[in-house]
Amino acid sequence: MALPLLPGNSFNRNLGKEKFHKSQHWSYCNKVSMLVGEDKPGIGGEPLPGQKLKPKYSVFPRGLGSDAPSWVAFDKQVLSFDAYFDEEVPDKNQELYRIRQCKIYFYLEDDTIQVVEPQVKNSGIPQGTLLRRHRVPLPPPNEDEFYTIDNFNLDTDIIFYGRRYRITDCDQFTKNFLRKMGVRLNPAQNRPDDPYTKERQKLIDSMTPLRPYERFDTLRQFLEHDGHVLRFYGIWDDTDSMFGDVREVVLHYFLSDDTIEIKEVIPVNSGRDAVPLFLNRQKLPKYAPVGLYQPGVITDRTVLNVFGGLVGNKGRYILDNRKTGAVHQEFYKDCDLRIGSAINVWGRKIVLCDCDEFTKEYYRTKYGVQDFTPIPYKAPPPPKVERTFPVYNGFGSEEDSLCSCMGLLPKPPQKDFKKFMEKDRQGLESNILRFLAQLITTDPIDKDRKFIISYFLSDDTISVFEPPQRNTGVIGGKFLERSRIKKPGQELYKSELPEYYKAVDLYVGAKVCFHGHVFLLVDADEYAFNYMEKHANEASYKSSEANQTKRIRTLIFAMANINIILNKLKEIGEPRSREIKQIFAATDPQHTTIIDYDEFRNLMLNISDGKFSEHEIMTIGRYYSVRDENEMDAVYLLAVSQEELKKNNFENFAQLYAHLAYNDRDKCGLLASDKCRTVCKSFRLPLPDDLLRALLASCEDCKDQVNYKKLVDGLNWREHPIPTFQTILIPLQYEDEWSGQPPTLPVKKVKYLPLIEDVFGIKD
């Protein structure tokens, strides 16, 4: 049989403690070392008269079990024994002695013992902890030792400070532990009954009347169904009375006490007062009485007076088990409530039409009901009256005049502040789309005029600027003030708001009419092309006129969406794909798979039969274009950076180098480009973010590493200034000063072979 952990057994602990408590020691007599103490043996090692020697070692062999200390190995492990002791009662005739039940707890970690007596209500005896937890010594003559686990067993007596306890039983954990310790347990004994307690119980039982007694047990129903409420939706048809109508109600049935409450659903603007409850929570009788009962008529029990006050004005009352004269009244239960059933609520007929999911699950589980088809009880909603507004009278703007019709106090029209904050100028992001336009006119002078149309995404406003041209006879400048522009062909005096030009209406090749002047958009700047291609999937939503709940999604920059354009090209050219491939091959006799943009444009116009706009052709050309990799001049970027640092009086180059060197954990003189940018930003280097990115990109090697010492030396305008002639200062220009010239990276060559593979599949 397996032994318990060795550090926890009491023999090893007592053996170690006895070495300190025994008064044994060695001394010298005639210069001879001799044992002096209580354990000194006699001649030949025989014990002296009256001397009792204790075993030197534990009954368990050494070296078995865990090395952990006992307070760790047996932490929170307690042996529990059921015991009792008898107590003499000398000054009472009703009892000569009493039996007191108690619990004995033995803590394995330190061999401490605690005795607790469970408290009994109205016992009159101080109960609770009889013996506080501590190590209890054995009775004399072994008072120098303490109780251990070997002193406990079932059906045995144990003495604590002169009081004898009888151990009758123990719990299962204690039995298992003692069996592992090798203890053979005695059979468990029953606890004896206290004679005085039995006499008291007989007296209490004799006081209980033997007549029939009704027990109303409502606690179980409350505990099982507290918080469970059945919900039904119904109507009360009151159309028979004057000015009556159909009212909607909600019935709540409380399963905890079979009570019902009813709430009325009062519609908005019905003219009725919002009362708290239609019926207060109560038990609802099935049949309403003719008149109200007096208090005490309906009771749970009937009490009879036997003597009637004849004997000394004292009465004797008993319960009437026959319930003579009792008024029986039936109340609504959960079994009486069904969808489609009508209940009588104090003379008002309420029809139950529907219920919630909890109620359906309750009836499905308890009564097996499966049909919960609701009865239509709600009146169809009245037709929505469309709000009409008066016709615009020409004073002020349409939005301002419309806001004056919304309420008694006119308010200014609300602006889209969220859109303004998102699309306003942020750093290098101007959020302005600029197009180059020409006038569509027969006047030979106006044909050569160029205009810059700027569309502001923050508030959908448009401004037109004419760049000055020499020897044209036309003075350039602001042609149209920044404002929203209405689309032509709309009725002026109407109740609806007019339509204005949006971003979806502006693209290269579009024709727009601004106050009678028709413009043709022929080009755009590089920022406009990049922005429209980047936000090609951005859409706007508009409710359809037929169905106001249905919203129509429209792409704002559909002309710059390469996927839509390629699908459109595939639909147009799929029937003659082989012919299109031969046309592209004929324009490239050298088989370089690259053609000029002008030839590509002419081919696309020929293939699409004019169905492609100029902007769509430019989007395809830009997507499949051949661009030369222009490397930024590092010296030029350093020169511009030095000018910026001079303007801001920045001279802390030594501290900047120290910060960069601190972040160089490998001490190799190189840092990642992103790490350098983060350090420069945290150091608050006064350089724009785009200039800093371009400068780091020009200084990094093939592994995206930057030599930060060379970078700091190049920025040091005190010790390594760059000559002035190398610094090219570009003056700040306004957005209306774009001359309309082609972008800095125009599309010159187009790779047509990837285009054919993406649209028509693998090449032949």
Side-chain angles (χ1 to χ4, degrees):
M1 182 176 294
L3 295 177
L5 298 176
L6 186 59
N9 65 72
S10 57
F11 292 99
N12 292 334
R13 287 196 299 269
N14 293 336
L15 182 62
K17 294 174 183 177
E18 287 173 359
K19 294 181 179 180
F20 294 95
H21 293 287
K22 290 295 181 178
S23 59
Q24 58 182 6
H25 57 276
W26 290 83
S27 180
Y28 289 90
C29 181
N30 296 328
K31 298 182 179 181
V32 177
S33 179
M34 299 179 63
L35 179 63
V36 179
E38 297 178 359
D39 295 340
K40 178 182 178 181
I43 299 175
E46 296 295 332
L48 298 175
Q51 185 180 23
K52 183 175 63 175
L53 298 180
K54 298 179 178 61
K56 186 177 182 181
Y57 301 105
S58 171
V59 294
F60 298 100
R62 291 190 174 185
L64 297 180
S66 172
D67 294 335
S70 60
W71 53 271
V72 174
F74 295 108
D75 184 29
K76 299 180 180 179
Q77 295 188 16
V78 184
L79 304 183
S80 176
F81 297 93
D82 297 334
Y84 71 92
F85 65 93
D86 53 353
E87 185 179 30
E88 185 180 358
V89 183
D91 300 332
K92 197 172 183 181
N93 297 329
Q94 290 82 358
E95 55 178 341
L96 300 178
Y97 68 95
R98 63 171 63 104
I99 302 297
R100 300 177 63 176
Q101 312 290 340
C102 60
K103 285 275 188 178
I104 299 177
Y105 298 106
F106 184 86
Y107 295 85
L108 295 171
E109 57 180 285
D110 54 359
D111 288 354
T112 55
I113 299 174
Q114 182 183 12
V115 181
V116 178
E117 182 182 7
Q119 294 185 358
V120 179
K121 187 177 181 180
N122 296 329
S123 64
I125 303 174
Q127 296 172 326
T129 303
L130 301 181
L131 189 65
R132 293 187 178 182
R133 178 181 173 182
H134 66 287
R135 296 188 69 196
V136 180
L138 293 173
N142 300 321
E143 63 271 10
D144 56 340
E145 300 180 13
F146 297 94
Y147 275 100
T148 63
I149 193 174
D150 296 327
N151 301 112
F152 290 88
N153 203 334
L154 303 184
D155 195 16
T156 57
D157 293 338
I158 192 168
I159 300 175
F160 295 154
Y161 298 108
R163 176 175 289 176
R164 185 179 299 274
Y165 296 87
R166 183 72 174 181
I167 299 177
T168 59
D169 201 355
C170 62
D171 58 0
Q172 191 62 36
F173 172 78
T174 306
K175 292 179 181 178
N176 296 337
F177 190 87
L178 292 176
R179 288 193 183 102
K180 291 181 181 180
M181 289 290 296
V183 178
R184 178 171 295 179
L185 292 177
N186 300 328
Q189 301 295 328
N190 295 326
R191 294 182 180 180
D193 296 329
D194 184 20
Y196 180 71
T197 305
K198 293 177 65 177
E199 293 296 329
R200 286 190 58 187
Q201 187 63 36
K202 290 181 181 180
L203 179 62
I204 294 174
D205 295 340
S206 64
M207 295 174 64
T208 304
L210 299 179
R211 59 183 177 272
Y213 185 77
E214 297 182 11
R215 177 176 178 85
F216 296 92
D217 185 12
T218 58
L219 179 61
R220 178 179 179 181
Q221 181 181 0
F222 174 79
L223 294 178
E224 290 181 354
H225 298 287
D226 183 31
H228 297 172
V229 182
L230 305 181
R231 177 178 295 178
F232 290 90
Y233 305 97
I235 57 172
W236 171 38
D237 191 357
D238 192 30
T239 54
D240 295 338
S241 61
M242 184 180 296
F243 308 112
D245 55 356
V246 179
R247 303 189 188 182
E248 297 181 17
V249 295
V250 179
L251 184 143
H252 292 159
Y253 183 88
F254 297 87
L255 295 173
S256 59
D257 54 357
D258 300 326
T259 55
I260 293 176
E261 74 173 10
I262 301 177
K263 295 183 179 181
E264 182 180 1
V265 180
I266 300 178
V268 181
N269 298 328
S270 63
R272 299 185 182 276
D273 294 333
V275 294
L277 288 175
F278 184 81
L279 177 69
N280 287 329
R281 181 176 175 179
Q282 57 183 276
K283 286 191 174 184
L284 183 63
K286 289 186 178 182
Y287 307 102
V290 179
L292 295 179
Y293 291 106
Q294 296 296 326
V297 175
I298 301 176
T299 58
D300 296 333
R301 298 181 177 90
T302 304
V303 182
L304 299 179
N305 189 352
V306 179
F307 295 148
L310 299 178
V311 182
N313 294 330
K314 293 183 180 181
R316 180 176 177 86
Y317 301 94
I318 63 173
L319 293 178
D320 182 13
N321 57 346
R322 300 295 182 180
K323 296 184 179 180
T324 306
V327 178
H328 297 280
Q329 193 172 19
E330 294 185 8
F331 297 94
Y332 279 104
K333 301 291 184 179
D334 55 350
C335 58
D336 302 321
L337 305 180
R338 292 287 190 276
I339 294 179
S341 62
I343 62 174
N344 183 10
V345 182
W346 299 103
R348 293 171 176 84
K349 181 181 178 181
I350 292 182
V351 181
L352 305 181
C353 303
D354 199 1
C355 60
D356 60 356
E357 291 298 328
F358 174 78
T359 307
K360 294 178 182 178
E361 185 64 26
Y362 176 80
Y363 280 95
R364 192 180 294 115
T365 304
K366 185 174 181 180
Y367 296 105
V369 180
Q370 299 296 333
D371 186 14
F372 296 98
T373 304
I375 300 175
Y377 63 97
K378 291 187 177 180
K384 186 177 182 181
V385 180
E386 185 177 358
R387 190 175 185 181
T388 59
F389 298 98
V391 179
Y392 174 61
N393 55 10
F395 293 96
S397 63
E398 289 84 349
E399 291 82 0
D400 191 19
S401 299
L402 184 61
C403 287
S404 64
C405 304
M406 295 293 185
L408 296 176
L409 299 177
K411 297 181 180 180
Q414 295 287 337
K415 295 183 179 181
D416 194 348
F417 185 74
K418 181 180 179 181
K419 180 180 178 181
F420 175 78
M421 295 300 296
E422 291 178 353
K423 300 297 183 180
D424 194 21
R425 179 188 291 273
Q426 299 177 2
L428 299 178
E429 291 289 334
S430 63
N431 290 318
I432 301 174
L433 306 182
R434 293 179 294 186
F435 298 89
L436 177 64
Q438 293 179 353
L439 276 174
I440 301 178
T441 180
T442 57
D443 190 351
I445 299 178
D446 293 341
K447 282 184 178 181
D448 298 333
R449 297 174 64 180
K450 296 181 180 180
F451 298 89
I452 305 298
I453 298 178
S454 301
Y455 181 84
F456 298 84
L457 296 169
S458 59
D459 54 359
D460 300 327
T461 55
I462 298 174
S463 67
V464 182
F465 180 81
E466 183 179 6
Q469 300 182 30
R470 301 180 63 181
N471 300 327
T472 58
V474 179
I475 301 176
K478 187 178 294 185
F479 184 82
L480 181 64
E481 188 73 25
R482 176 180 174 180
S483 62
R484 292 196 300 169
I485 302 176
K486 300 177 185 177
K487 292 184 178 180
Q490 301 184 68
E491 184 182 353
L492 179 60
Y493 301 104
K494 60 179 182 178
S495 58
E496 294 82 10
L497 293 177
E499 294 185 9
Y500 295 90
Y501 277 104
K502 301 291 184 181
V504 69
D505 303 317
L506 302 180
Y507 55 89
V508 178
K511 294 180 181 180
V512 293
C513 181
F514 297 160
H515 303 295
H517 299 276
V518 182
F519 295 92
L520 175 64
L521 307 184
V522 296
D523 201 357
D525 63 350
E526 186 66 21
Y527 177 81
F529 281 118
N530 291 333
Y531 184 90
M532 297 172 75
E533 292 170 0
K534 183 179 179 181
H535 300 81
N537 294 322
E538 189 173 334
S540 62
Y541 296 89
K542 181 180 180 182
S543 300
S544 61
E545 297 180 358
N547 188 1
Q548 296 294 330
T549 60
K550 184 177 180 181
R551 304 179 69 189
I552 302 176
R553 184 176 185 267
T554 305
L555 292 177
I556 300 177
F557 306 111
M559 298 297 175
N561 194 317
I562 188 64
N563 296 324
I564 296 177
I565 299 173
L566 292 180
N567 292 333
K568 184 178 178 181
L569 178 60
K570 186 176 182 180
E571 293 178 1
I572 296 174
E574 187 69 28
R576 49 196 184 99
S577 60
R578 189 175 185 84
E579 180 185 354
I580 294 173
K581 296 177 183 179
Q582 293 176 358
I583 293 174
F584 275 103
T587 57
D588 184 21
Q590 303 296 330
H591 302 289
T592 59
T593 68
I594 296 174
I595 59 176
D596 294 335
Y597 176 76
D598 295 335
E599 296 180 359
F600 174 78
R601 176 181 176 275
N602 296 332
L603 287 175
M604 295 302 298
L605 290 175
N606 185 19
I607 294 171
S608 63
D609 297 330
K611 295 181 180 179
F612 274 175
S613 64
E614 193 69 30
H615 198 125
E616 291 175 320
I617 298 175
M618 296 178 70
T619 301
I620 300 175
R622 289 170 57 85
Y623 189 78
Y624 295 99
S625 63
V626 179
R627 295 175 180 260
D628 297 333
E629 296 182 359
N630 297 332
E631 297 182 357
M632 299 296 294
D633 188 6
V635 179
Y636 168 72
L637 293 175
L638 286 174
V640 176
S641 301
Q642 286 190 4
E643 288 296 325
E644 290 291 333
L645 297 178
K646 284 181 183 179
K647 292 178 183 179
N648 292 275
N649 297 325
F650 181 82
E651 298 183 4
N652 299 330
F653 299 103
Q655 297 182 8
L656 177 60
Y657 175 76
H659 278 68
L660 293 170
Y662 175 77
N663 288 272
D664 183 12
R665 303 301 183 185
D666 299 334
K667 304 302 179 183
C668 59
L670 298 175
L671 274 180
S673 179
D674 296 340
K675 190 66 176 178
C676 285
R677 176 175 171 271
T678 304
V679 174
C680 294
K681 283 293 183 182
S682 62
F683 194 73
R684 296 183 180 180
L685 188 67
L687 289 179
D689 187 62
D690 56 343
L691 179 59
L692 181 61
R693 288 176 181 269
L695 181 61
L696 294 175
S698 63
C699 296
E700 63 186 11
D701 55 8
C702 60
K703 297 183 179 180
D704 297 338
Q705 300 284 333
V706 177
N707 190 333
Y708 55 85
K709 187 177 186 307
K710 291 183 179 180
L711 176 64
V712 175
D713 293 342
L715 293 175
N716 194 341
W717 55 273
R718 284 290 188 185
E719 298 181 0
H720 307 92
I722 298 178
T724 310
F725 67 88
Q726 296 186 17
T727 305
I728 305 174
L729 298 178
I730 302 177
L732 181 64
Q733 297 181 354
Y734 297 99
E735 58 267 7
D736 291 339
E737 294 184 2
W738 179 47
S739 61
Q741 297 298 325
T744 56
L745 297 176
V747 180
K748 297 179 180 179
K749 302 287 185 179
V750 178
K751 297 179 288 186
Y752 67 88
L753 190 58
L755 172 63
I756 295 175
E757 294 179 0
D758 293 342
V759 178
F760 304 112
I762 303 174
K763 62 181 183 298
D764 295 337

